[in-house]
Amino acid sequence: MNLCLSASTILAVSKRMELNEHQTIYHEQFSSNISYTLQNLYENKHFSDVTLISEDLKQVAAHKFILSSCSGLFAKILMNLTQPTGVIYLKGLNTREMDYLLQFCYFGQVNVSNNAVDKFVDLMKEFEIWNSDNIIIINQSQEEVDQVVKPCKDD
């Protein structure tokens, strides 16, 4: 990419820089780039450094950084690992529930069948998924907000 600036633009930028001790450089598409990167990591498993195993023994590669960023429980577990890579057995979680949990950690949202919503909300509490004030559940057939669930912080 070539960046061509006129002499007057360079002079104007220079004068503004003289007035301010610091300049902010902003990437307009940072959020969308991060979303793309997370999707790519989720789909391709590049740089994965931990393996999750569901109760029905499905193995899924994941990233410690992502898991520990979104889950207090994963953060506690991963901080105590002594090996550079690890394996975590998720007793009581079937493959579908583990996939739901991972999708939520990587994308901040997940499509859950109606009969699994309550169980997933319970999983979010159990795994201490983000300390967000509100989790919004949208009924996609009506495209309206059905309920707002406030996770308990001190269960």
Side-chain angles (χ1 to χ4, degrees), residues 127-139:
F127 280 84
E128 302 168 20
I129 302 294
W130 288 312
N131 289 328
S132 60
D133 292 331
N134 297 308
I135 300 299
I136 300 172
I137 300 172
I138 300 174
N139 182 333

Side-chain angles (χ1 to χ4, degrees), residues 4 7 14-15 27 30 32 38 42 44-45 61 63 72 82 84-85 93 98 116 119-120 145:
C4 299
S14 296
K15 286 184 180 181
H27 190 294
F30 181 80
S32 62
L38 291 174
Y42 177 81
N44 298 313
K45 309 300 182 196
H63 304 85
T82 56
T85 60
L93 257 66
M98 183 174 65
K119 170 80 172 169
F120 184 71
V145 177

Side-chain angles (χ1 to χ4, degrees), residues 16 23-24 28 36 55 60 63 84 88 93-94 99 102 107 111 115 123 137 145:
R16 277 188 294 191
Q23 302 298 316
T24 300
E28 289 181 332
Y36 172 78
E55 189 168 66
V60 176
H63 304 85
I88 301 172
L93 257 66
N94 64 36
D99 287 342
L102 287 172
F107 304 117
N111 292 321
N115 60 350
L123 281 175
I137 300 172
V145 177

